Amino acid sequence: MDELVPVQKQKDGSVVVSGRDLHDFLDVKTKYADWFKRMSEYGFDENIDFAVFLKNEKDDTAFGGYRKITDHALTLDMAKEISMIQRTERGKQARQYFIEVEKRYKDKQQSQLPTSPTEMLKLAINSTLETADKVEALNTRMDEFEQNAPIDPGEYNYLSKRISSEVQNYVVSHHMILNQKQRSQLYKDVNRGVKEVTGVKTRSQLRKKDFDVVDRYLMNWTPSPATLMIIEKLSDEDKEQTLFL
């Protein structure tokens, strides 16, 4: 069969036609951009019936001898309908040609189908494995998305209460009597530790993946020696102020 209009097979097995190649074969006098805009108004949708792409065209007046032009990859169905719309002899030829192209590729696909039980089993196994790989990849992306999502208000409130509870438990278990400044040092110590184990700057930046990390950290939290020294220093300052008064 003579190739009236070049066709190109895609990775998914479909066949596409260049809009500009079809425009040239149909010998349309209207500029391509105007013609295609009018053709696309017949109910064709981008990324379904056609895709837009850029290609190089020889042009001695352009820098480097080439210029970028817009073209469209048309499905065979769209190419057939556009050819029929032209109502010209070339339009009829193009439509019949695309019908033959479609039939040829379908026949080729049929001839490649498995015929023996062994081949059919291999095809089924490969298809199952490919599907499993795709599902696993999708699940992995979904897990990553969920883990990187911000913690919800309930989880945030839980961690806030945990921090308050751990501070209070430490104070009670060590029989400490602290003023507001001293107690605030304990909260600063906890929050500083949360930032260190998660890498966030503020608690509002915590993600789902950080929740268990923070929970474990709080379970084992004790104030640092530096924090305890500051608390002791504040206690001494209070005593000095009391004596002064």
Side-chain angles (χ1 to χ4, degrees):
M1 179 176 59
D2 294 335
E3 189 176 57
L4 300 183
V5 183
V7 296
Q8 184 174 356
K9 187 177 181 180
Q10 304 297 291
K11 291 181 179 180
D12 62 359
S14 63
V15 182
V16 295
V17 181
S18 160
R20 286 187 177 272
D21 287 344
L22 179 57
H23 175 265
D24 291 342
F25 175 78
L26 294 173
D27 197 24
V28 178
K29 304 305 180 185
T30 309
K31 289 183 179 179
Y32 175 74
D34 297 334
W35 173 79
F36 186 81
K37 181 179 179 181
R38 190 171 72 249
M39 293 298 101
S40 62
E41 291 174 353
Y42 279 89
F44 300 112
D45 296 315
E46 185 175 352
N47 296 326
I48 297 178
D49 302 298
F50 66 90
V52 183
F53 68 96
L54 296 176
K55 68 178 182 180
N56 292 322
E57 181 183 65
K58 182 71 174 177
D59 185 352
D60 294 333
T61 63
F63 180 76
Y66 289 91
R67 65 186 178 97
K68 292 284 188 181
I69 60 172
T70 300
D71 199 352
H72 301 84
L74 317 181
T75 63
L76 281 182
D77 284 341
M78 181 175 178
K80 285 187 293 183
E81 290 190 46
I82 286 180
S83 299
M84 184 173 60
I85 291 170
Q86 307 310 306
R87 298 184 183 280
T88 63
E89 188 59 35
R90 286 217 161 199
K92 293 179 182 178
Q93 292 176 8
R95 180 174 179 274
Q96 188 59 44
Y97 165 73
F98 292 133
I99 291 173
E100 289 298 323
V101 169
E102 187 175 42
K103 183 177 182 299
R104 181 181 64 185
Y105 276 94
K106 284 183 178 179
D107 290 344
K108 186 176 181 180
Q109 289 176 343
Q110 288 292 331
S111 65
Q112 294 175 344
L113 290 176
T115 55
S116 69
T118 302
E119 290 177 343
M120 293 178 68
L121 180 59
K122 287 181 179 179
L123 181 63
I125 292 174
N126 290 335
S127 178
T128 301
L129 292 175
E130 289 178 4
T131 301
D133 289 340
K134 290 178 181 178
V135 170
E136 183 178 356
L138 179 60
N139 288 336
T140 299
R141 288 197 296 271
M142 288 299 296
D143 288 342
E144 291 175 352
F145 176 79
E146 291 176 358
Q147 289 298 308
N148 286 307
I151 60 174
D152 57 48
E155 292 170 324
Y156 184 90
N157 290 335
Y158 168 83
L159 293 178
S160 296
K161 290 179 180 178
R162 276 293 312 276
I163 290 174
S164 297
S165 176
E166 292 300 327
V167 169
Q168 181 62 23
N169 290 340
Y170 184 85
V171 170
V172 172
S173 64
H174 288 76
H175 309 290
M176 303 173 74
I177 300 175
L178 305 179
N179 58 32
Q180 187 62 37
K181 287 184 179 180
Q182 292 171 313
R183 189 176 289 268
S184 69
Q185 292 300 318
L186 294 177
Y187 281 100
K188 287 181 180 179
D189 188 279
V190 176
N191 287 321
R192 186 164 51 247
V194 169
K195 294 175 186 178
E196 289 175 355
V197 297
T198 61
V200 301
K201 293 183 178 180
T202 63
R203 263 192 277 164
S204 61
Q205 294 177 331
L206 290 173
R207 298 292 181 262
K208 294 281 188 181
K209 63 182 179 182
D210 300 322
F211 183 83
D212 290 338
V213 175
V214 175
D215 200 36
R216 286 193 298 271
Y217 165 75
L218 294 176
M219 190 180 301
N220 301 301
W221 171 79
T222 56
S224 67
T227 296
L228 294 176
M229 288 179 62
I230 294 173
I231 291 175
E232 185 65 27
K233 183 179 179 181
L234 290 172
S235 178
D236 292 341
E237 290 177 355
D238 282 348
K239 291 177 182 178
E240 290 177 1
Q241 290 179 358
T242 301
L243 290 174
F244 180 78
L245 292 174

